[in-house]
Amino acid sequence: MKFFVDTADTEEIRELADTGLLDGVTTNPSLIAKSGRDFFDVIKEICSLVDGPVSAEVAATDYDTMLEEGKKLAGLADNVAVKVPLTMAGLKTCSQLAKQGTQVNVTLCFSAAQAILAAKAGAAYISPFVGRLDDIGQDGMNMISDVVQIYANYPAFQTEVLVASIRNPTHIVNSALMGADVCTVPPQVLKQLVSHPLTDKGLAAFLADWEKTGQKIL
Ligand code: E4P
């Protein structure tokens, strides 16, 4: 399973990239707004920090403008994945950009039916949002299970399932059990993944016992 981090905060990205755990980055207009920085500067900087795909989202809603925006974003760096919304114009843009060899991440997916269309449009990634479905009382992980199964039925579909809108470590573990390709994770959830109270307790006990030996490794 690949891990992308869902942020436009370059300091957080730098810190996580140094761990070797990071396979890519996703941003969206809300995360860019939160960064308070110039969109193009942020995307170029992120692309220099990670080798993997960096999703940069178009802002237009009509096909012609979306396509031009997509081409401009794709030209920023070799590892940009253009992010388009799951609308008819977004799917048409995806299809066109994919034919030109650009990686496209189709975002704002809330149903397996929508995910089928993204695969047919040649998306490199489909981003089904689990947390936002959970928020309205539906089960986001059911959608992931359906999408993974459907894509497995059609080997011609090359689209990777990129689980988005992740709220907690359980979303990640269940995504892995279901065989999703990628999770895009907020930095705080990525840090939660590593924590376990028994790890902390066990480490404290080992260190105390080691101290009693009076020995040193270095
Ligand atoms: C990912 O590409 C999405 O932009 C992101 O996961 C949305 O998450 P949210 O529902 O927490 O805003």
Side-chain angles (χ1 to χ4, degrees), residues 7-206:
T7 183
D9 182 326
T10 48
E11 278 320 300
E12 280 181 316
I13 293 167
R14 197 184 305 274
E15 189 190 321
L16 288 165
D18 283 347
T19 66
L21 295 171
L22 209 55
D23 300 298
V25 177
T26 53
T27 67
N28 62 36
S30 306
L31 294 170
I32 295 294
K34 193 173 162 196
S35 79
R37 294 183 53 194
D38 176 80
F39 181 32
F40 300 108
D41 288 349
V42 177
I43 296 298
K44 281 191 267 186
E45 186 177 343
I46 297 173
C47 286
S48 73
L49 295 174
V50 294
D51 294 331
V54 175
S55 290
E57 189 160 342
V58 298
T61 53
D62 68 285
Y63 167 71
D64 289 328
T65 320
M66 221 187 258
L67 184 60
E68 287 316 304
E69 288 185 353
K71 287 179 189 170
K72 183 170 178 178
L73 294 175
L76 293 178
D78 288 344
N79 54 336
V80 166
V82 175
K83 212 172 178 190
V84 301
L86 210 154
T87 59
M88 201 53 94
L91 291 170
K92 191 173 165 188
T93 305
C94 173
S95 186
Q96 192 56 37
L97 288 173
K99 277 185 199 133
Q100 295 171 10
T102 298
Q103 286 211 320
V104 182
N105 174 1
V106 178
T107 191
L108 290 168
C109 171
F110 292 94
S111 75
Q114 290 180 315
I116 293 171
L117 295 178
K120 287 193 67 70
Y125 302 99
I126 180 66
S127 291
F129 279 36
V130 294
R132 292 192 196 187
L133 272 184
D134 291 351
D135 290 345
I136 61 161
Q138 296 186 27
D139 187 341
M141 291 313 299
N142 277 346
M143 171 178 56
I144 301 302
S145 171
D146 287 349
V147 176
V148 170
Q149 271 186 57
I150 290 167
Y151 282 10
N153 287 342
Y154 297 94
F157 285 172
Q158 295 296 304
T159 307
E160 293 191 35
V161 180
L162 195 176
V163 183
S165 188
I166 281 178
R167 302 273 195 263
N168 54 58
T170 306
H171 278 150
I172 300 167
V173 172
N174 287 334
S175 297
L177 285 169
M178 289 170 185
D181 303 284
V182 193
C183 280
T184 188
V185 188
Q188 72 276 14
V189 178
L190 208 47
K191 287 172 188 163
Q192 276 180 331
L193 270 185
V194 80
S195 301
H196 196 288
L198 290 181
T199 303
D200 298 342
K201 192 178 168 194
L203 181 59
F206 285 158

